[in-house]
Amino acid sequence: MLFPTFAIVLLIVIFPVLADFWIAFKPVKLGDLRVPRPVVLERVRARPRAPGDALVVRYRVQNRTKNPITQARFTDPLPPGLVPLELPEACKVEAGALTCVLGGLEPGERVELAVTFRAEAAYFAAGRPDPRATRPEVESVAPNPLVAKPFVLDNFVRVFRDPDFWPMLKVTLAYTLFGTGLSILLGLFAAQLLAVRFSGRNLLRGLFLFPYVAPVIAVAFVWVFLLDPFSGTLNALLLKYGLVAEPIPFLSQRYWPVHFFGLTLKLPLALTMVILFEGWRYFPFAFLFILARLQAIPRELYEAAKVDGAGIWATFRFVTLPQLAGILATLFLLRFIWTFNKFDDIFLLTGGAAGTETITIKVYDYAFARADLGQGAALAVVLFLILAIFLTLYFRYAPKGEV
């Protein structure tokens, strides 16, 4: 009886993954997803002025796709009062409509058809309607490019030959590791603060959840406004108190020189800002889990540590931290996977500019900005394989019983 449930779940989970792998090995563009169909253009070369005059309609049928089309035909409804005089062999008039059967069309092939009609009195009684007022209905059969095209490795070759791939991978790993670590550290700090009882604790707990529950587009644009070099609040405060001599383009400059003990270091400015946003936005998720685990730690452990003379740091190190090891390991795993696949935060803040382009941003760039669906799918497969390797290593070397 559970088979239908398992089948539905597997279909929902596995089918998109298999589809991505399939497309990754196909040389398909975004436009190939449209059903290949010929284009029919209609022109009127002669208009009748009196009953008995001729009306000439020219049709241009073209296969603008890169795939062969078979069984091509079109049907065009005709205005009343038009009697065919000259018809191509492929065309006939039945029930007030012109039908032309063209058969097969090779990629780029174009066919010209000219049809001559005699205008009767009924045509003028109807107000001399324009034959182009009705659009031809086109029918055809063409192979699906996702099935018909051969399996190739070109998409993966172009992904790894892209000079931006390895720098982009480094940025992705840095963004993921530091963003994940910062969100967990902030969550741990917030949970420690709000674990003790004091007046207004429940209100503060609710406020701490705001970054996580607020719409991402709202908080992202608030950050963009605050960090704007011209009208941003942060730059205005820095300039007012003389902390900087000129506005800082936090989200549009790749590096910012930092002087430290006589050394000049290049701080990845935009990347640092998106990492700070990642930590700020998602620390409430870690905060909730850590707070729940803190409240479940037996008080006897703290009392025993106090009796043994342990201070605050020793109590945290030898009592609290070992009790939180399992939940911290689980949080790191979840946040690593989600951050590695994150797209919307960076896209809304920087669009991937100024050294913040991650793999997910590049997948979007390949598939939609460049309309190269195959290369985008290939990079998505690379992303999947990197995560699979990480999960394998994590479960292989993670301490037993902590996940």
Side-chain angles (χ1 to χ4, degrees), residues 103-289:
L105 294 173
E106 294 299 321
E109 183 178 354
R110 184 173 64 182
V111 177
E112 300 277 354
L113 300 172
V115 183
T116 303
F117 299 95
R118 184 180 70 248
E120 301 289 342
Y123 176 75
F124 292 91
R128 299 175 62 199
D130 191 340
R132 294 171 297 183
T134 56
R135 302 187 63 178
E137 297 181 2
V138 182
E139 298 178 9
S140 63
V141 176
N144 189 328
L146 296 179
V147 178
K149 290 192 174 184
F151 288 97
V152 294
L153 295 174
D154 294 349
N155 294 325
F156 292 95
V157 171
R158 287 185 290 131
V159 164
F160 289 111
R161 285 184 177 177
D162 190 334
D164 294 332
F165 176 76
W166 296 110
M168 173 185 60
L169 180 58
K170 293 179 181 178
V171 169
T172 304
L173 291 174
Y175 169 71
T176 302
L177 290 173
F178 287 106
T180 299
L182 182 60
S183 65
I184 293 177
L185 285 177
L186 291 177
L188 178 61
F189 181 72
Q192 291 283 340
L193 287 178
L194 298 182
V196 296
R197 294 182 179 274
F198 60 88
S199 179
R201 182 180 66 168
N202 292 334
L203 176 62
L204 284 179
R205 286 181 176 180
L207 291 177
F208 272 37
L209 298 179
F210 171 77
Y212 189 68
V213 300
V216 61
I217 191 170
V219 294
F221 278 107
V222 168
W223 272 61
V224 170
F225 173 76
L226 292 175
L227 301 176
D228 187 83
F230 303 106
S231 58
T233 305
L234 182 56
N235 271 299
L237 293 174
L238 294 176
L239 291 171
K240 179 180 179 179
Y241 292 103
L243 298 177
V244 295
E246 58 183 10
I248 301 176
F250 289 101
L251 296 175
S252 58
Q253 185 163 323
R254 182 184 292 263
Y255 295 111
W256 184 261
V258 177
H259 303 285
F260 185 75
F261 290 106
L263 300 175
T264 301
L265 305 177
K266 288 185 177 181
L267 175 69
L269 185 60
L271 181 59
T272 301
M273 291 299 106
V274 297
I275 289 174
L276 291 177
F277 179 84
E278 174 74 17
W280 170 82
R281 174 158 169 75
Y282 296 102
F283 87 87
F285 179 82
F287 159 70
L288 287 176
F289 282 82

Side-chain angles (χ1 to χ4, degrees), residues 293-313:
R293 184 66 186 93
L294 278 175
Q295 294 177 335
I297 298 177
R299 296 295 95 187
E300 292 81 3
L301 296 178
Y302 291 105
E303 294 173 0
K306 186 176 181 180
V307 170
D308 291 339
I312 297 177
W313 170 247

Side-chain angles (χ1 to χ4, degrees), residues 45-75:
R45 298 298 302 270
R47 298 293 298 272
R49 299 181 178 274
D53 290 348
L55 184 148
V56 180
V57 182
R58 293 185 178 273
Y59 296 91
R60 175 182 294 175
V61 184
Q62 185 175 6
N63 180 7
R64 296 180 179 178
T65 70
K66 297 181 180 180
N67 303 286
I69 295 176
T70 60
Q71 302 180 31
R73 56 181 292 166
F74 70 88
T75 301

Side-chain angles (χ1 to χ4, degrees), residues 26-34 66 145-146 149 155 158 367 370-375:
K26 294 283 186 174
V28 294
K29 304 295 183 180
L30 189 61
D32 292 332
L33 296 182
R34 296 193 298 265
K66 297 181 180 180
L146 296 179
K149 290 192 174 184
N155 294 325
R158 287 185 290 131
R370 305 185 189 183
D372 194 335
L373 194 63
Q375 191 171 358

